[in-house]
């Protein structure tokens, strides 16, 4: 026979083995009224974003049907890339370059490419009355290029100038310094290039700043910007 303390300990052990186990349940989270309202607001926000995207696509399609005359100054790799893309939208493209790029222009869908160092070619470039002039030259030659263009531009000041440099402050200051006051200025920064956008620039970032857009160039600015609406 076990001693009393030992018998009590054995009894407690046996009782513990048969005792029901208490399971801890996670606390039930009760949504407050503000949580429900927040979810509803987020749902409406998502719906509005989708609706805006549809409207922007429709707007871009309408504007894209209105043909632009686009001049591209600097017909290197990036200029050729832009020419090919713009021409695919059936816009009229002309180029200017310091070197002979006539063959490249034909391959890129442009109507031609004159020489930037020829005053006659620069004059002919502006006589075509481009709606938009895209500066696709390097930052090193940027101001020199503007100085070459300015004499002929004086006869056609109501033109929209667009830069595609990644250094915005320099481009902005140079454009405002060298271009006539009537000339529109749109500074852009495409966050893509010939390699990253070889299959298209839709859904790729495109940043722009309407530095100076007079009434005479506002239509061209809207139509040109619409080319990147999907970006």
């Amino acid at each position: 026979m076990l001693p009393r303390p030992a018998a009590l300990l054995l009894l407690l052990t046996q009782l513990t083995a048969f005792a029901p186990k208490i399971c801890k349940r996670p606390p039930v989270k009760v949504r407050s009224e503000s949580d429900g309202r927040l979810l509803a607001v987020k749902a409406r926000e998502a719906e509005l974003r989708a609706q805006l995207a549809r409207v922007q696509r429709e707007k871009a399609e309408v504007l894209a049907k209105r043909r632009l005359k686009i001049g591209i100054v600097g017909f290197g790799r990036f200029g050729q890339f832009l020419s090919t893309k713009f021409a695919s939208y059936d816009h009229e493209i002309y180029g200017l370059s310091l070197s002979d790029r006539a063959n490249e222009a034909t391959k890129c869908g442009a109507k031609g490419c004159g020489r930037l160092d020829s005053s006659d070619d620069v004059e002919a470039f502006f006589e075509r009355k481009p709606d938009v002039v895209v500066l696709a030259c390097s930052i090193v030659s940027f101001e020199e290029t503007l100085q070459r263009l300015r004499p002929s531009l004086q006869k056609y000041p109501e033109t929209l100038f667009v830069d595609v440099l990644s250094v915005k402050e320099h481009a902005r200051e140079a454009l405002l310094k060298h271009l006539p006051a009537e000339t529109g200025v749109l500074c852009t920064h495409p966050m893509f290039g010939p390699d990253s956008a070889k299959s298209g620039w839709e859904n790729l970032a495109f940043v722009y700043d309407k530095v100076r857009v007079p009434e005479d160039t506002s239509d061209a600015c809207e139509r040109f910007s619409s080319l990147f609406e999907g970006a």
Side-chain angles (χ1 to χ4, degrees), residues 71-109:
I72 298 177
V73 181
F75 222 75
R77 190 161 179 252
F78 197 78
Q80 292 173 40
F81 159 70
L82 291 177
S83 176
T84 301
K85 187 67 174 177
F86 294 152
S88 72
Y89 292 146
D90 198 34
H91 295 297
E92 193 172 311
I93 313 300
Y94 296 93
L96 272 180
S97 180
L98 277 175
S99 54
D100 184 1
R101 299 286 188 177
N103 291 334
E104 289 89 340
T106 301
K107 294 177 183 177
C108 295

Side-chain angles (χ1 to χ4, degrees), residues 83-147:
S83 176
T84 301
K85 187 67 174 177
F86 294 152
S88 72
Y89 292 146
D90 198 34
H91 295 297
E92 193 172 311
I93 313 300
Y94 296 93
L96 272 180
S97 180
L98 277 175
S99 54
D100 184 1
R101 299 286 188 177
N103 291 334
E104 289 89 340
T106 301
K107 294 177 183 177
C108 295
K111 300 293 185 182
C113 186
R115 294 289 298 262
L116 185 57
D117 54 359
S118 165
S119 58
D120 289 341
D121 283 2
V122 174
E123 186 74 20
F125 176 83
F126 282 105
E127 283 177 353
R128 298 180 186 277
K129 297 183 179 180
D131 300 297
V132 181
V133 172
V134 179
L135 296 166
C137 51
S138 71
I139 189 172
V140 177
S141 61
F142 194 76
E143 287 203 61
E144 180 185 351
T145 299
L146 290 175
Q147 291 167 357

